[in-house]
Amino acid sequence: MKFWQLALTAVALLIGADAVAVVELPALTVTKDADGSENYSISIQVLAVMTILTLLPSLVIMMTAFTRIIIVFAILRQAIGMQQTPSNQILVGIAMFLTIFIMAPVFEEVYQLAVEPYMEESITPSDALQTASQPFRAFMLEQTREGDLDMFMRLSDHEKIDVIEEVNFFVLVPAFMTSELKTAFQIGFMLFIPFLIIDMVVASVLMSMGMMMLSPLIISLPFKIMLFVLVDGWVMIMGTLASSFGLAT
């Protein structure tokens, strides 16, 4: 039997097993506590967890440092002039692990305040979700510009608040994303300047020599790579990104 036939057989068996498991799942059960709150059956909780896992990539992009980092890396690759090196997979991998490094204090706080008590069944799922959102809210508020936040509050007709921590979560997220995009492009602009100067110098030299048919990018690329290596560019870029989030470098 060929490999793909074995794979199809295994998938069919898994689908059959899952179908039986679904049939055996209990119906929706709602249990009322003494304080009037409601707890749902474990099958609904599993469905909610699976839904959250499906949205996890979007949450990582919208609520962490990932967006700023990956945009800076993409602009850096464009400034050097290498379209496919490093590859997208390498850039995403570096951005992901650098995001984990920067967000480690937030993740640790979420685990201690929400995940660990929930696993010990000392708080309800709704309380755990509410508690887990607070460290992310504090992180996003610290990185969000007041002007961006005010704009989205006006667009959403947000009610007046006494303290900034009371802002609606669905208003904070787009404001945070806007601020991240603005910061990433500012860092990218600063990265572009030295490489642009090299391109201009090489183009001027080639034009003065009458070599107009030779592309300046072919000549300037080695010089840009050499400059980036001599100044220890990767360490400088990662240190700048980490310090832009308030980490000491």
CSV table of all heavy atoms in Angstrom, one decimal, residues 31-39 122-124 126-127:
chain,number,residue,atom,x,y,z
A,31,THR,N,-25.0,24.9,35.0
A,31,THR,CA,-25.1,24.7,36.4
A,31,THR,C,-25.0,26.1,37.1
A,31,THR,O,-24.1,26.9,36.8
A,31,THR,CB,-23.9,23.9,36.9
A,31,THR,OG1,-24.0,22.6,36.2
A,31,THR,CG2,-24.1,23.6,38.4
A,32,LYS,N,-26.0,26.4,37.9
A,32,LYS,CA,-26.1,27.7,38.6
A,32,LYS,C,-25.4,27.6,39.9
A,32,LYS,O,-25.7,26.7,40.7
A,32,LYS,CB,-27.5,28.2,38.7
A,32,LYS,CG,-28.2,28.6,37.4
A,32,LYS,CD,-29.5,29.2,37.6
A,32,LYS,CE,-30.1,29.7,36.3
A,32,LYS,NZ,-31.4,30.4,36.5
A,33,ASP,N,-24.5,28.6,40.2
A,33,ASP,CA,-23.9,28.6,41.5
A,33,ASP,C,-24.8,29.4,42.5
A,33,ASP,O,-25.8,29.9,42.1
A,33,ASP,CB,-22.5,29.3,41.4
A,33,ASP,CG,-21.6,28.5,40.5
A,33,ASP,OD1,-21.7,27.2,40.4
A,33,ASP,OD2,-20.6,29.1,39.9
A,34,ALA,N,-24.3,29.4,43.7
A,34,ALA,CA,-25.1,30.1,44.8
A,34,ALA,C,-25.2,31.6,44.6
A,34,ALA,O,-26.2,32.2,44.9
A,34,ALA,CB,-24.4,29.8,46.2
A,35,ASP,N,-24.1,32.1,43.9
A,35,ASP,CA,-24.2,33.6,43.7
A,35,ASP,C,-24.9,34.0,42.4
A,35,ASP,O,-24.9,35.1,42.1
A,35,ASP,CB,-22.7,34.1,43.6
A,35,ASP,CG,-21.9,33.5,42.6
A,35,ASP,OD1,-22.4,32.5,41.9
A,35,ASP,OD2,-20.7,33.9,42.4
A,36,GLY,N,-25.5,33.0,41.8
A,36,GLY,CA,-26.3,33.3,40.6
A,36,GLY,C,-25.5,33.2,39.3
A,36,GLY,O,-26.1,33.3,38.2
A,37,SER,N,-24.2,33.0,39.3
A,37,SER,CA,-23.4,32.8,38.1
A,37,SER,C,-23.6,31.4,37.5
A,37,SER,O,-24.1,30.5,38.2
A,37,SER,CB,-21.9,33.0,38.4
A,37,SER,OG,-21.5,32.0,39.4
A,38,GLU,N,-23.3,31.3,36.2
A,38,GLU,CA,-23.5,30.0,35.5
A,38,GLU,C,-22.2,29.4,35.0
A,38,GLU,O,-21.3,30.1,34.6
A,38,GLU,CB,-24.4,30.2,34.3
A,38,GLU,CG,-25.8,30.7,34.8
A,38,GLU,CD,-26.7,31.0,33.5
A,38,GLU,OE1,-26.2,31.0,32.4
A,38,GLU,OE2,-27.9,31.1,33.7
A,39,ASN,N,-22.1,28.1,35.1
A,39,ASN,CA,-21.0,27.3,34.6
A,39,ASN,C,-21.5,26.4,33.5
A,39,ASN,O,-22.5,25.8,33.7
A,39,ASN,CB,-20.2,26.5,35.7
A,39,ASN,CG,-19.4,27.4,36.6
A,39,ASN,OD1,-18.9,28.4,36.1
A,39,ASN,ND2,-19.3,27.1,37.9
A,122,SER,N,-9.5,27.5,40.9
A,122,SER,CA,-9.9,28.5,42.0
A,122,SER,C,-10.6,29.7,41.4
A,122,SER,O,-11.1,30.5,42.2
A,122,SER,CB,-8.6,28.9,42.7
A,122,SER,OG,-7.7,29.5,41.7
A,123,ILE,N,-10.6,29.8,40.1
A,123,ILE,CA,-11.4,30.9,39.4
A,123,ILE,C,-12.1,30.3,38.2
A,123,ILE,O,-11.8,29.3,37.7
A,123,ILE,CB,-10.5,32.1,39.0
A,123,ILE,CG1,-9.4,31.6,37.9
A,123,ILE,CG2,-9.8,32.8,40.1
A,123,ILE,CD1,-8.6,32.7,37.4
A,124,THR,N,-13.2,31.0,37.8
A,124,THR,CA,-14.0,30.5,36.7
A,124,THR,C,-13.3,30.9,35.4
A,124,THR,O,-12.5,31.8,35.3
A,124,THR,CB,-15.4,31.1,36.8
A,124,THR,OG1,-15.3,32.6,36.7
A,124,THR,CG2,-16.1,30.8,38.1
A,126,SER,N,-14.5,32.7,32.9
A,126,SER,CA,-14.7,34.1,32.6
A,126,SER,C,-13.8,35.0,33.4
A,126,SER,O,-13.3,36.0,32.9
A,126,SER,CB,-16.2,34.5,32.8
A,126,SER,OG,-16.5,34.2,34.2
A,127,ASP,N,-13.6,34.7,34.7
A,127,ASP,CA,-12.7,35.4,35.5
A,127,ASP,C,-11.2,35.3,35.0
A,127,ASP,O,-10.5,36.2,35.0
A,127,ASP,CB,-12.8,35.0,36.9
A,127,ASP,CG,-14.1,35.4,37.6
A,127,ASP,OD1,-14.8,36.3,37.1
A,127,ASP,OD2,-14.5,34.7,38.6
